[in-house]
Amino acid sequence: MSMVLCAKEWPQAFGPNYDFTVNGRAPESFSVSLNKNILWRTPMPSTGQGTPIIVNGRIFITSHERIEKDSETGSAIVGICLDEKTGKKLWERRIPGTRTTDLSSLFSDNTAASPVSDGERVVFMNVGGTIVCYDFEGNEIWKKKWTPFGRHHARAHEPILHDRQVIVAYVPKYDLPLSATTKAGAKPLGRGLEYWNRLQAYDITTGKLSWMAKVGTSVHSTSMLSQLSNGKMAILTGRGGGYQPPEEPFGLSMIDAFNGGSIWEQSIKGYPAAQNANWGRNGVHFFSGDKHFSTSSDTGEILRSSPLFEKVTVTRWDGKEYQTSKEQSLKKSKKPITYFTNIIIGNYHYFRSFAGFMIGRVNLKSGKVEYLEVPAQIVRKFGAEERKLWGETMPNDMKNADGFRATMDKRNAGSGWGHVSSAPPIVVGDLIYFPTMVGMVYVLKWNSEILNKEALVSVSDLGLAGETWSLSGLAYTNGKIFARTMKELICLGN
């Protein structure tokens, strides 16, 4: 399904093609630090991790509600509607949750699920326990509430809009005590089927349940929709990940997008579900252990694998210039990739490394694996020479637009590589954009013959180093890129 449409709209986090890719042209470089290629900036009430969506000239985005002091936790969020051309706020609605969660967590907060829109309605989800649908004037159409099961506070699933169905994921149990929203309170309840996280489809016009998947899906998995070789639309979902989620067996399942039925299941020992479930007619492709795997999208049969750390090509910065070396061995990292940084485009499966600050890709035809080291951060200020930081980043102030710290967890001020639920990359035309938590955006020519310095188009930024934080995905329409940081929503364009 890749590269089918040129985006005039970005109706969900996955974009119009369901795979984070689209035809078009966007700025090759930008700098909020230097006010380069910035069309407008709008302050946000507080921290947030959802992707902005753009439909019919309107932008929809979520935020945790405004805080009046340095804060560690929050529950309610706000759904916001803005004008695409100006960034002017048109309306906002408060959406309460039953779960209180860490603000700006490395592994999601209550804003982690992005809105979706069919052009007439918009659906916001507070993953702390509420889904609500509004019309474009902000009038409520329907609402669902529940008490989240809290074995782990990660919520990696992005709502999918397909065939007038909004497909979300949560534990469909409505009589849970409030204590079940915490790890300690959830553990005594056990791992029974009634506590499995499941994909569920709701009619966007009525809010009525259309189907519920028979198989479970991990809270760590970003499920994705595509098309099988027979033309049937299906959803690939994963099970597994940290803290032993109850859904078993660990591995992958292909689910019928029409009725939620299981098409196939593939058990994979130790499957790391914290990745985008990338697939298409040419196969399912995933990372596990120290290898990259490809399977049949029709049957789940594993067809081939490629080692990620042996006999690879690496282009590194030696302190003066880039050097490319072939047939290299890399030190095996704890996990194969920085979570959710994988994307398929053309014959390549791109990703960010777990360690070493490298962009990587696997050639899906040859199995060749390449890495390109990139600066961890670039410090830019008006009137000063830019400074590249290799292998380290500056500490982050973690302050929102009102100047209050929207977290108390020191881990959240890290580099955004490795053990973090990162924002996914997107592809616009010939360029791939990798955003990071510290506000860097690596722009590369994805179809470059060799993944080396010539492939790196720019290292752009979403704000001042040490003052910019983001786990939100990028969105694109009509030559413009939209980015959300803890402080603001930004429209980027030439």
Coordinates of all heavy atoms in Angstrom, one line a residue, residues 297-387:
S297 N 3.0 -12.9 4.5 CA 1.9 -12.2 5.1 C 0.6 -13.0 5.0 O -0.4 -12.8 5.7 CB 1.7 -10.8 4.4 OG 1.6 -11.0 3.0
D298 N 0.6 -14.0 4.1 CA -0.6 -14.8 3.9 C -0.7 -16.0 5.0 O -1.8 -16.4 5.3 CB -0.6 -15.4 2.5 CG -0.9 -14.4 1.5 OD1 -1.6 -13.4 1.7 OD2 -0.3 -14.5 0.4
T299 N 0.5 -16.5 5.4 CA 0.5 -17.6 6.3 C 1.2 -17.4 7.6 O 1.0 -18.2 8.5 CB 1.1 -18.9 5.6 OG1 2.5 -18.6 5.3 CG2 0.4 -19.1 4.2
G300 N 2.1 -16.5 7.7 CA 3.0 -16.3 8.8 C 4.2 -17.1 8.8 O 5.0 -17.0 9.8
E301 N 4.4 -17.9 7.8 CA 5.6 -18.8 7.7 C 6.9 -18.0 7.6 O 6.9 -17.0 6.8 CB 5.5 -19.7 6.5 CG 6.7 -20.6 6.3 CD 6.7 -21.4 5.0 OE1 5.7 -21.2 4.2 OE2 7.6 -22.1 4.8
I302 N 7.9 -18.2 8.5 CA 9.1 -17.5 8.4 C 9.9 -18.0 7.2 O 10.2 -19.1 7.0 CB 9.9 -17.7 9.7 CG1 9.2 -17.1 10.9 CG2 11.3 -17.1 9.6 CD1 9.8 -17.3 12.2
L303 N 10.3 -17.0 6.4 CA 11.0 -17.3 5.1 C 12.5 -17.1 5.2 O 13.2 -17.9 4.6 CB 10.4 -16.4 4.0 CG 8.8 -16.5 3.8 CD1 8.4 -15.5 2.8 CD2 8.4 -17.9 3.4
R304 N 12.9 -16.1 5.9 CA 14.4 -15.8 5.9 C 14.7 -14.8 7.1 O 13.8 -14.2 7.6 CB 14.9 -15.2 4.6 CG 14.1 -13.9 4.2 CD 14.5 -13.4 2.8 NE 13.7 -12.2 2.4 CZ 12.5 -12.2 1.9 NH1 11.9 -13.4 1.7 NH2 11.9 -11.1 1.6
S305 N 16.0 -14.8 7.4 CA 16.5 -13.9 8.4 C 17.8 -13.3 8.1 O 18.5 -13.9 7.3 CB 16.5 -14.6 9.8 OG 17.5 -15.6 9.7
S306 N 18.1 -12.2 8.6 CA 19.4 -11.5 8.4 C 20.0 -11.1 9.7 O 19.3 -10.5 10.6 CB 19.3 -10.3 7.5 OG 18.7 -10.6 6.3
P307 N 21.3 -11.4 10.0 CA 21.9 -10.9 11.2 C 22.1 -9.4 11.3 O 22.4 -8.8 10.3 CB 23.3 -11.6 11.2 CG 23.6 -11.9 9.8 CD 22.2 -12.1 9.2
L308 N 21.8 -8.8 12.4 CA 21.8 -7.4 12.5 C 23.2 -6.8 13.0 O 23.5 -5.6 12.8 CB 20.8 -6.9 13.5 CG 19.3 -7.0 13.1 CD1 18.4 -6.8 14.2 CD2 19.0 -6.1 11.9
F309 N 24.0 -7.7 13.5 CA 25.3 -7.2 14.1 C 26.5 -7.9 13.5 O 27.6 -7.6 13.9 CB 25.3 -7.4 15.6 CG 24.1 -6.8 16.3 CD1 23.0 -7.6 16.8 CD2 24.0 -5.4 16.4 CE1 21.9 -7.0 17.4 CE2 22.9 -4.8 17.0 CZ 21.9 -5.6 17.5
E310 N 26.4 -8.8 12.6 CA 27.5 -9.5 11.9 C 27.5 -9.2 10.4 O 26.5 -9.2 9.8 CB 27.4 -11.0 12.2 CG 27.5 -11.4 13.6 CD 28.8 -11.1 14.3 OE1 29.8 -11.0 13.5 OE2 28.9 -10.8 15.5
K311 N 28.7 -9.0 9.9 CA 28.9 -8.7 8.5 C 28.1 -7.6 7.9 O 27.4 -7.7 6.9 CB 28.7 -10.0 7.7 CG 29.6 -11.1 8.0 CD 29.4 -12.4 7.1 CE 30.4 -13.5 7.4 NZ 30.2 -14.7 6.6
V312 N 28.1 -6.5 8.7 CA 27.3 -5.3 8.3 C 28.2 -4.2 7.8 O 29.4 -4.2 8.0 CB 26.5 -4.8 9.5 CG1 25.5 -5.9 10.0 CG2 27.4 -4.3 10.7
T313 N 27.6 -3.3 7.1 CA 28.4 -2.1 6.6 C 28.1 -0.9 7.5 O 26.9 -0.6 7.8 CB 28.0 -1.8 5.1 OG1 28.3 -2.9 4.3 CG2 28.7 -0.5 4.7
V314 N 29.1 -0.3 8.0 CA 29.0 0.8 9.0 C 29.7 2.0 8.5 O 30.9 2.0 8.1 CB 29.5 0.4 10.4 CG1 29.2 1.5 11.4 CG2 28.9 -0.9 10.8
T315 N 29.0 3.2 8.5 CA 29.7 4.5 8.2 C 29.7 5.2 9.5 O 28.6 5.6 10.1 CB 28.9 5.2 7.1 OG1 28.9 4.5 5.9 CG2 29.5 6.6 6.9
R316 N 30.9 5.5 10.0 CA 31.1 6.2 11.3 C 31.8 7.5 11.2 O 32.6 7.7 10.3 CB 31.8 5.2 12.3 CG 31.0 4.2 13.0 CD 31.8 3.6 14.2 NE 31.1 2.6 14.9 CZ 31.2 1.3 14.8 NH1 32.1 0.9 13.9 NH2 30.5 0.5 15.6
W317 N 31.6 8.3 12.2 CA 32.3 9.6 12.3 C 33.6 9.3 13.1 O 33.5 8.8 14.3 CB 31.4 10.6 13.0 CG 32.1 12.0 13.2 CD1 32.6 12.5 14.3 CD2 32.4 12.9 12.2 NE1 33.1 13.7 14.1 CE2 33.0 14.0 12.8 CE3 32.1 13.0 10.8 CZ2 33.4 15.2 12.1 CZ3 32.5 14.1 10.1 CH2 33.1 15.2 10.7
D318 N 34.8 9.6 12.6 CA 36.0 9.3 13.3 C 36.6 10.5 14.1 O 37.7 10.4 14.5 CB 37.0 8.7 12.4 CG 37.5 9.7 11.3 OD1 37.1 10.9 11.4 OD2 38.4 9.3 10.5
G319 N 35.8 11.5 14.1 CA 36.3 12.7 14.8 C 36.6 13.8 13.9 O 36.6 15.0 14.2
K320 N 36.9 13.4 12.6 CA 37.2 14.4 11.6 C 36.4 14.3 10.3 O 36.0 15.3 9.7 CB 38.7 14.3 11.2 CG 39.7 14.6 12.3 CD 41.1 14.5 11.8 CE 42.1 14.9 12.9 NZ 43.5 14.8 12.5
E321 N 36.1 13.0 10.0 CA 35.3 12.8 8.8 C 34.6 11.4 8.9 O 34.9 10.6 9.8 CB 36.2 12.8 7.5 CG 37.3 11.7 7.6 CD 38.2 11.8 6.3 OE1 38.0 12.7 5.5 OE2 39.1 11.0 6.2
Y322 N 33.7 11.1 8.0 CA 33.0 9.9 7.9 C 33.9 8.8 7.3 O 34.6 9.1 6.3 CB 31.7 9.9 7.2 CG 30.5 10.4 8.0 CD1 29.9 11.6 7.8 CD2 30.0 9.5 9.0 CE1 28.7 11.9 8.6 CE2 28.9 9.9 9.8 CZ 28.3 11.1 9.5 OH 27.2 11.4 10.3
Q323 N 33.9 7.6 7.8 CA 34.6 6.4 7.2 C 33.6 5.3 7.1 O 32.9 5.0 8.0 CB 35.8 6.0 8.1 CG 36.8 7.1 8.3 CD 37.7 7.2 7.1 OE1 37.6 6.4 6.1 NE2 38.5 8.3 7.0
T324 N 33.6 4.6 5.9 CA 32.7 3.5 5.7 C 33.5 2.2 5.7 O 34.6 2.1 5.1 CB 32.0 3.6 4.4 OG1 31.2 4.8 4.4 CG2 31.1 2.4 4.1
S325 N 33.1 1.2 6.5 CA 33.7 -0.1 6.6 C 32.7 -1.2 6.4 O 31.6 -1.1 6.8 CB 34.4 -0.3 8.0 OG 35.3 0.8 8.3
K326 N 33.1 -2.2 5.6 CA 32.3 -3.3 5.3 C 32.6 -4.6 6.1 O 33.7 -4.6 6.7 CB 32.3 -3.7 3.8 CG 31.9 -2.5 2.9 CD 32.0 -2.9 1.4 CE 31.6 -1.8 0.5 NZ 31.7 -2.2 -0.9
E327 N 31.7 -5.5 6.1 CA 31.9 -6.8 6.8 C 32.3 -6.6 8.3 O 33.2 -7.2 8.8 CB 33.0 -7.6 6.1 CG 32.7 -8.0 4.7 CD 31.6 -9.1 4.6 OE1 31.7 -10.1 5.3 OE2 30.6 -8.9 3.9
Q328 N 31.6 -5.7 8.9 CA 31.9 -5.3 10.3 C 31.1 -6.1 11.3 O 30.0 -6.6 11.0 CB 31.7 -3.9 10.5 CG 32.6 -3.0 9.7 CD 34.1 -3.1 10.1 OE1 34.5 -2.8 11.2 NE2 34.9 -3.6 9.2
S329 N 31.6 -6.3 12.5 CA 30.8 -6.8 13.6 C 30.5 -5.7 14.6 O 31.5 -5.0 15.1 CB 31.6 -8.0 14.3 OG 31.8 -9.1 13.4
L330 N 29.3 -5.6 15.0 CA 28.9 -4.6 16.0 C 28.6 -5.3 17.3 O 28.2 -6.5 17.4 CB 27.6 -3.9 15.6 CG 27.7 -3.0 14.4 CD1 26.4 -2.3 14.1 CD2 28.8 -1.9 14.6
K331 N 28.8 -4.6 18.4 CA 28.5 -5.2 19.7 C 27.0 -5.3 19.8 O 26.2 -4.4 19.5 CB 29.0 -4.3 20.9 CG 28.7 -4.8 22.2 CD 29.2 -3.8 23.3 CE 28.8 -4.3 24.7 NZ 29.3 -3.4 25.8
K332 N 26.5 -6.5 20.2 CA 25.1 -6.8 20.3 C 24.5 -5.9 21.4 O 25.0 -5.8 22.5 CB 24.8 -8.2 20.6 CG 23.3 -8.6 20.6 CD 23.1 -10.1 20.9 CE 21.6 -10.4 21.0 NZ 21.4 -11.8 21.3
S333 N 23.4 -5.2 21.0 CA 22.7 -4.4 22.0 C 21.6 -5.2 22.7 O 21.3 -6.3 22.3 CB 22.1 -3.1 21.3 OG 21.2 -3.5 20.3
K334 N 21.1 -4.6 23.8 CA 20.1 -5.3 24.6 C 18.8 -5.6 23.8 O 18.2 -6.6 24.0 CB 19.7 -4.4 25.8 CG 20.8 -4.3 26.8 CD 20.3 -3.4 28.0 CE 21.4 -3.3 29.1 NZ 21.0 -2.4 30.2
K335 N 18.5 -4.7 22.9 CA 17.3 -4.8 22.0 C 17.7 -4.5 20.6 O 18.7 -3.7 20.4 CB 16.2 -3.9 22.4 CG 15.7 -4.2 23.9 CD 15.0 -5.5 24.0 CE 14.6 -5.9 25.4 NZ 13.6 -4.9 26.0
P336 N 17.1 -5.0 19.6 CA 17.5 -4.8 18.2 C 17.4 -3.3 17.7 O 18.2 -2.9 16.9 CB 16.7 -5.7 17.4 CG 15.5 -6.0 18.2 CD 15.9 -5.9 19.6
I337 N 16.3 -2.6 18.2 CA 16.1 -1.2 17.7 C 15.6 -0.4 18.8 O 15.1 -0.8 19.8 CB 15.1 -1.2 16.5 CG1 13.7 -1.6 17.0 CG2 15.5 -2.1 15.4 CD1 12.6 -1.5 16.0
T338 N 15.7 1.0 18.6 CA 15.0 1.9 19.5 C 13.5 1.7 19.2 O 13.1 1.7 18.0 CB 15.4 3.3 19.2 OG1 16.7 3.5 19.7 CG2 14.5 4.3 19.9
Y339 N 12.7 1.5 20.2 CA 11.3 1.1 20.0 C 10.5 2.0 19.0 O 10.6 3.2 19.1 CB 10.6 1.1 21.3 CG 11.3 0.3 22.4 CD1 11.2 0.7 23.8 CD2 12.1 -0.8 22.2 CE1 11.8 0.1 24.8 CE2 12.8 -1.4 23.2 CZ 12.6 -1.0 24.5 OH 13.3 -1.6 25.5
F340 N 9.8 1.4 18.1 CA 8.8 2.0 17.2 C 9.5 2.9 16.2 O 8.8 3.8 15.6 CB 7.7 2.8 18.0 CG 7.1 1.9 19.1 CD1 7.3 2.2 20.4 CD2 6.2 0.9 18.7 CE1 6.8 1.4 21.4 CE2 5.7 0.1 19.7 CZ 5.9 0.3 21.0
T341 N 10.7 2.7 15.9 CA 11.4 3.6 14.9 C 11.6 2.9 13.6 O 12.3 3.3 12.7 CB 12.8 4.0 15.4 OG1 13.6 2.8 15.6 CG2 12.7 4.8 16.7
N342 N 10.9 1.7 13.4 CA 11.0 1.0 12.2 C 9.9 1.4 11.2 O 8.7 1.6 11.5 CB 11.0 -0.5 12.4 CG 9.7 -1.0 13.2 OD1 9.4 -0.4 14.2 ND2 9.1 -2.0 12.7
I343 N 10.3 1.4 9.9 CA 9.4 1.7 8.8 C 9.8 1.1 7.5 O 11.0 1.0 7.3 CB 9.3 3.3 8.6 CG1 8.2 3.7 7.6 CG2 10.6 3.9 8.3 CD1 7.9 5.2 7.5
I344 N 8.9 0.6 6.7 CA 9.2 0.0 5.4 C 8.9 1.0 4.3 O 7.8 1.5 4.3 CB 8.4 -1.3 5.2 CG1 8.9 -2.4 6.2 CG2 8.6 -1.8 3.8 CD1 8.1 -3.7 6.1
I345 N 9.9 1.1 3.4 CA 9.7 2.0 2.3 C 10.5 1.4 1.1 O 11.7 1.1 1.3 CB 10.1 3.4 2.5 CG1 9.9 4.3 1.2 CG2 11.5 3.6 3.0 CD1 8.4 4.4 0.8
G346 N 9.9 1.1 0.0 CA 10.6 0.5 -1.1 C 11.0 -0.9 -0.7 O 10.3 -1.7 -0.1
N347 N 12.3 -1.2 -1.0 CA 12.9 -2.5 -0.6 C 13.7 -2.4 0.7 O 14.5 -3.3 1.0 CB 13.9 -3.0 -1.7 CG 13.1 -3.3 -3.0 OD1 12.0 -3.9 -2.9 ND2 13.7 -3.0 -4.1
Y348 N 13.4 -1.4 1.5 CA 14.2 -1.2 2.8 C 13.3 -1.2 4.0 O 12.2 -0.7 4.0 CB 14.9 0.1 2.7 CG 16.0 0.2 1.6 CD1 15.7 1.0 0.5 CD2 17.2 -0.5 1.7 CE1 16.7 1.1 -0.5 CE2 18.1 -0.5 0.6 CZ 17.9 0.3 -0.5 OH 18.8 0.4 -1.5
H349 N 13.8 -1.8 5.1 CA 13.3 -1.7 6.4 C 14.2 -0.8 7.2 O 15.3 -1.2 7.6 CB 13.1 -3.0 7.0 CG 12.1 -3.1 8.1 ND1 11.7 -4.2 8.7 CD2 11.4 -2.1 8.8 CE1 10.8 -4.0 9.7 NE2 10.7 -2.7 9.7
Y350 N 13.8 0.4 7.5 CA 14.6 1.4 8.2 C 14.3 1.3 9.7 O 13.3 0.9 10.1 CB 14.4 2.8 7.7 CG 15.2 3.3 6.5 CD1 14.8 3.0 5.2 CD2 16.4 3.9 6.7 CE1 15.6 3.4 4.1 CE2 17.2 4.3 5.7 CZ 16.8 4.1 4.4 OH 17.5 4.5 3.3
F351 N 15.3 1.8 10.5 CA 15.2 1.8 11.9 C 16.2 2.7 12.6 O 17.2 3.0 11.9 CB 15.2 0.4 12.5 CG 16.5 -0.3 12.3 CD1 17.6 -0.3 13.2 CD2 16.8 -1.0 11.1 CE1 18.8 -1.0 13.0 CE2 18.0 -1.6 10.8 CZ 19.0 -1.6 11.8
R352 N 16.1 3.0 13.8 CA 17.1 3.6 14.6 C 17.7 2.6 15.6 O 17.0 1.8 16.2 CB 16.6 4.8 15.4 CG 16.4 6.1 14.6 CD 16.4 7.3 15.5 NE 15.1 7.5 16.2 CZ 15.1 7.7 17.5 NH1 16.2 7.7 18.3 NH2 13.9 7.9 18.1
S353 N 19.0 2.5 15.7 CA 19.7 1.5 16.5 C 19.3 1.7 18.0 O 18.9 2.8 18.4 CB 21.2 1.6 16.3 OG 21.7 2.8 16.8
F354 N 19.4 0.7 18.8 CA 19.2 0.7 20.2 C 20.3 1.5 20.9 O 20.1 2.2 21.8 CB 19.0 -0.7 20.8 CG 18.5 -0.7 22.2 CD1 17.1 -0.6 22.5 CD2 19.4 -0.8 23.3 CE1 16.7 -0.6 23.8 CE2 19.0 -0.8 24.6 CZ 17.6 -0.7 24.8
A355 N 21.5 1.2 20.4 CA 22.7 1.8 21.0 C 23.6 2.3 19.9 O 23.5 1.9 18.7 CB 23.5 0.8 21.8
G356 N 24.4 3.3 20.1 CA 25.4 3.8 19.2 C 24.9 5.0 18.3 O 25.7 5.4 17.4
F357 N 23.7 5.5 18.4 CA 23.2 6.6 17.7 C 23.4 6.5 16.2 O 24.1 7.2 15.5 CB 23.9 7.9 18.2 CG 23.7 8.2 19.6 CD1 24.5 7.9 20.6 CD2 22.5 8.9 20.0 CE1 24.3 8.1 21.9 CE2 22.3 9.2 21.3 CZ 23.2 8.8 22.3
M358 N 22.8 5.4 15.6 CA 22.9 5.1 14.2 C 21.5 4.9 13.6 O 20.7 4.3 14.2 CB 23.8 3.9 14.0 CG 25.2 4.1 14.4 SD 26.3 2.6 14.0 CE 25.7 1.5 15.3
I359 N 21.4 5.4 12.4 CA 20.3 5.0 11.5 C 20.7 3.7 10.8 O 21.8 3.6 10.3 CB 20.0 6.1 10.5 CG1 19.8 7.5 11.1 CG2 18.8 5.7 9.6 CD1 18.5 7.6 12.0
G360 N 19.8 2.8 10.8 CA 20.0 1.5 10.1 C 19.0 1.2 9.1 O 17.9 1.7 9.1
R361 N 19.3 0.3 8.2 CA 18.3 -0.3 7.2 C 18.7 -1.7 6.8 O 19.9 -2.0 6.8 CB 18.2 0.6 6.0 CG 19.3 0.6 5.0 CD 19.1 1.5 3.8 NE 20.1 1.4 2.8 CZ 20.2 2.2 1.7 NH1 19.3 3.1 1.5 NH2 21.2 2.0 0.8
V362 N 17.7 -2.5 6.5 CA 17.8 -3.8 6.0 C 17.3 -3.8 4.6 O 16.2 -3.4 4.3 CB 17.1 -4.8 6.8 CG1 17.3 -6.3 6.3 CG2 17.5 -4.8 8.3
N363 N 18.1 -4.3 3.6 CA 17.6 -4.5 2.3 C 16.8 -5.8 2.2 O 17.3 -6.9 2.5 CB 18.8 -4.6 1.3 CG 18.4 -4.7 -0.2 OD1 17.5 -5.4 -0.6 ND2 19.0 -3.8 -1.0
L364 N 15.5 -5.6 1.9 CA 14.6 -6.8 2.0 C 14.8 -7.8 0.9 O 14.3 -8.9 1.0 CB 13.1 -6.2 2.0 CG 12.7 -5.3 3.2 CD1 11.3 -4.8 3.0 CD2 12.9 -6.0 4.5
K365 N 15.5 -7.4 -0.1 CA 15.8 -8.4 -1.2 C 17.1 -9.2 -0.9 O 17.1 -10.4 -1.0 CB 15.8 -7.7 -2.5 CG 14.5 -7.3 -3.1 CD 14.6 -6.8 -4.5 CE 13.2 -6.5 -5.1 NZ 13.3 -6.1 -6.5
S366 N 18.1 -8.4 -0.6 CA 19.4 -9.0 -0.4 C 19.8 -9.4 1.0 O 20.7 -10.2 1.3 CB 20.5 -8.1 -0.9 OG 20.6 -6.9 -0.1
G367 N 19.1 -8.8 2.0 CA 19.4 -9.0 3.4 C 20.6 -8.2 3.9 O 20.9 -8.3 5.1
K368 N 21.1 -7.3 3.1 CA 22.3 -6.5 3.5 C 21.8 -5.5 4.5 O 20.8 -4.9 4.5 CB 22.8 -5.7 2.3 CG 24.0 -4.8 2.6 CD 24.5 -4.1 1.4 CE 25.6 -3.1 1.7 NZ 26.1 -2.4 0.5
V369 N 22.7 -5.3 5.6 CA 22.4 -4.4 6.7 C 23.4 -3.3 6.7 O 24.6 -3.6 6.7 CB 22.4 -5.2 8.0 CG1 22.1 -4.2 9.2 CG2 21.3 -6.3 8.0
E370 N 22.9 -2.1 6.8 CA 23.8 -0.9 6.8 C 23.5 0.0 8.0 O 22.3 0.1 8.4 CB 23.7 -0.1 5.5 CG 23.9 -0.8 4.2 CD 23.5 0.0 3.0 OE1 24.3 0.8 2.5 OE2 22.3 -0.2 2.6
Y371 N 24.5 0.7 8.5 CA 24.3 1.6 9.6 C 25.1 2.9 9.2 O 26.1 2.9 8.6 CB 24.9 1.1 10.9 CG 24.2 -0.1 11.5 CD1 24.5 -1.4 11.2 CD2 23.1 0.1 12.4 CE1 23.9 -2.5 11.7 CE2 22.5 -0.9 12.9 CZ 22.8 -2.2 12.6 OH 22.2 -3.3 13.2
L372 N 24.5 4.1 9.6 CA 25.1 5.4 9.5 C 25.0 6.1 10.9 O 23.9 6.4 11.4 CB 24.3 6.2 8.5 CG 24.7 7.7 8.4 CD1 26.2 7.9 7.9 CD2 23.8 8.4 7.4
E373 N 26.2 6.4 11.4 CA 26.2 7.1 12.7 C 25.8 8.6 12.4 O 26.2 9.2 11.4 CB 27.6 7.1 13.3 CG 27.7 7.7 14.7 CD 29.1 7.7 15.3 OE1 30.0 7.4 14.6 OE2 29.2 8.1 16.5
V374 N 25.0 9.1 13.4 CA 24.6 10.5 13.2 C 24.9 11.2 14.5 O 25.0 10.6 15.6 CB 23.0 10.6 12.9 CG1 22.7 10.1 11.5 CG2 22.2 9.8 14.0
P375 N 25.0 12.6 14.5 CA 25.2 13.3 15.8 C 24.0 13.1 16.6 O 22.8 13.2 16.2 CB 25.4 14.7 15.3 CG 24.8 14.8 13.9 CD 25.0 13.4 13.3
A376 N 24.2 12.9 17.9 CA 23.1 12.7 18.9 C 22.3 14.0 19.0 O 21.1 14.0 19.3 CB 23.6 12.3 20.2
Q377 N 23.0 15.2 18.8 CA 22.3 16.4 19.0 C 23.1 17.5 18.3 O 24.3 17.4 18.3 CB 22.0 16.8 20.5 CG 21.1 17.9 20.8 CD 20.7 17.9 22.3 OE1 21.6 17.7 23.1 NE2 19.5 18.3 22.6
I378 N 22.4 18.5 17.8 CA 23.1 19.7 17.3 C 22.6 20.9 18.1 O 21.4 21.2 18.2 CB 22.9 19.9 15.8 CG1 23.5 18.7 15.0 CG2 23.5 21.2 15.3 CD1 23.5 18.9 13.5
V379 N 23.5 21.7 18.7 CA 23.2 22.9 19.4 C 23.2 24.1 18.5 O 24.3 24.4 18.0 CB 24.1 23.0 20.6 CG1 23.7 24.3 21.5 CG2 24.1 21.8 21.5
R380 N 22.1 24.7 18.4 CA 22.0 25.9 17.5 C 21.5 27.1 18.3 O 20.5 27.0 19.0 CB 21.1 25.7 16.3 CG 21.6 24.6 15.4 CD 20.7 24.5 14.1 NE 21.3 23.5 13.2 CZ 20.7 22.3 12.9 NH1 19.7 21.9 13.6 NH2 21.3 21.5 12.1
K381 N 22.1 28.3 18.1 CA 21.7 29.5 18.7 C 22.0 30.7 17.7 O 23.0 30.6 17.0 CB 22.3 29.8 20.0 CG 21.9 28.8 21.2 CD 22.6 29.2 22.5 CE 22.2 28.3 23.6 NZ 22.8 28.6 24.9
F382 N 21.1 31.7 17.7 CA 21.4 32.8 16.9 C 22.7 33.5 17.3 O 23.0 33.6 18.5 CB 20.3 33.9 17.1 CG 19.0 33.6 16.2 CD1 17.8 33.2 16.8 CD2 19.1 33.7 14.8 CE1 16.7 33.0 16.1 CE2 18.0 33.5 14.1 CZ 16.8 33.1 14.7
G383 N 23.5 33.8 16.3 CA 24.8 34.5 16.5 C 25.9 33.6 17.0 O 27.0 34.1 17.3
A384 N 25.7 32.3 17.1 CA 26.7 31.3 17.5 C 26.9 30.2 16.5 O 26.0 29.9 15.8 CB 26.4 30.7 18.9
E385 N 28.1 29.7 16.4 CA 28.4 28.6 15.6 C 27.8 27.3 16.1 O 27.8 27.1 17.3 CB 29.9 28.4 15.5 CG 30.4 27.3 14.4 CD 31.9 27.2 14.3 OE1 32.6 28.1 14.8 OE2 32.3 26.3 13.7
E386 N 27.1 26.5 15.2 CA 26.5 25.3 15.7 C 27.5 24.3 16.2 O 28.6 24.2 15.7 CB 25.6 24.7 14.6 CG 26.3 24.0 13.5 CD 25.3 23.3 12.5 OE1 24.1 23.8 12.4 OE2 25.7 22.3 12.0
R387 N 27.0 23.5 17.2 CA 27.9 22.6 17.8 C 27.3 21.2 17.8 O 26.1 21.0 18.2 CB 28.1 23.0 19.3 CG 29.0 22.1 20.1 CD 29.5 22.9 21.3 NE 28.4 23.4 22.1 CZ 27.9 22.7 23.2 NH1 28.4 21.6 23.6 NH2 26.9 23.2 23.9

